[in-house]
Amino acid sequence: MAAVASASAPARSSKTESYVDNKRKDDIRMSNIKSARSVADAVRTSLGPKGMDKMISTASGDVIITNDGATILNKMEVLQPAAKMLVELSKSQDVVAGDGTTTVVVIAGALLKQCQTLLHSGLSNDRYHTGF
């Protein structure tokens, strides 16, 4: 029985050897991008002259109809940390400029979409690490 258990365990040549799980890193990265993009997509359709209104139902049962991106983002209950960053980006834009809250979130979502395309094509931070 002991011979079978030791045969299935991988042999290590030195104590300095480490195992890096790149698949898990990629899965986490893609999950973060997808969740942040979903927040951006939720407000994208409310932007512009043909922007659609959103109906938001609160926990207390109130119904809000708006096409204001800041209101939509403030009423969202976002749990994922990367998606929360986009909500915080919107709040920061509102404090600094008072306008453009939806635009910054939509631009960030578009940048994330391009990042996702580059990652799918094989470009990764690990491969092109420059040492900075």
Side-chain angles (χ1 to χ4, degrees), residues 73-93:
L73 290 168
N74 284 334
K75 298 296 179 184
M76 284 180 134
E77 293 181 15
V78 181
L79 299 176
Q80 211 278 344
K84 278 185 182 181
M85 287 178 63
L86 286 185
V87 174
E88 293 300 319
L89 175 68
S90 172
K91 289 178 183 177
S92 297
Q93 178 70 16

Side-chain angles (χ1 to χ4, degrees), residues 8-127:
S8 63
R12 291 199 171 187
S13 59
S14 70
K15 290 184 179 182
T16 60
E17 182 180 331
S18 65
Y19 174 72
V20 179
D21 187 9
N22 288 330
K23 179 67 176 154
R24 185 162 185 256
K25 282 184 193 177
D26 293 342
D27 290 343
I28 292 170
R29 187 179 295 141
M30 285 299 166
S31 172
N32 287 334
I33 290 172
K34 286 179 184 178
S35 62
R37 281 191 59 207
S38 66
V39 169
D41 288 341
V43 296
R44 181 179 47 83
T45 56
S46 68
L47 189 64
K50 294 185 178 184
M52 296 185 290
D53 291 346
K54 304 285 185 195
M55 185 184 323
I56 304 167
S57 176
T58 62
S60 63
D62 296 335
V63 176
I64 301 168
I65 298 175
T66 183
N67 68 351
D68 179 35
T71 303
I72 295 167
L73 290 168
N74 284 334
K75 298 296 179 184
M76 284 180 134
E77 293 181 15
V78 181
L79 299 176
Q80 211 278 344
K84 278 185 182 181
M85 287 178 63
L86 286 185
V87 174
E88 293 300 319
L89 175 68
S90 172
K91 289 178 183 177
S92 297
Q93 178 70 16
D94 190 36
V95 168
V96 172
D99 195 21
T101 55
T102 307
T103 305
V104 296
V105 172
V106 170
I107 289 172
L111 289 171
L112 286 170
K113 182 178 181 181
Q114 293 304 315
C115 290
Q116 196 172 23
T117 304
L118 288 171
L119 289 170
H120 279 302
S121 69
L123 179 72
S124 75
N125 190 24
D126 299 332
R127 181 188 292 172

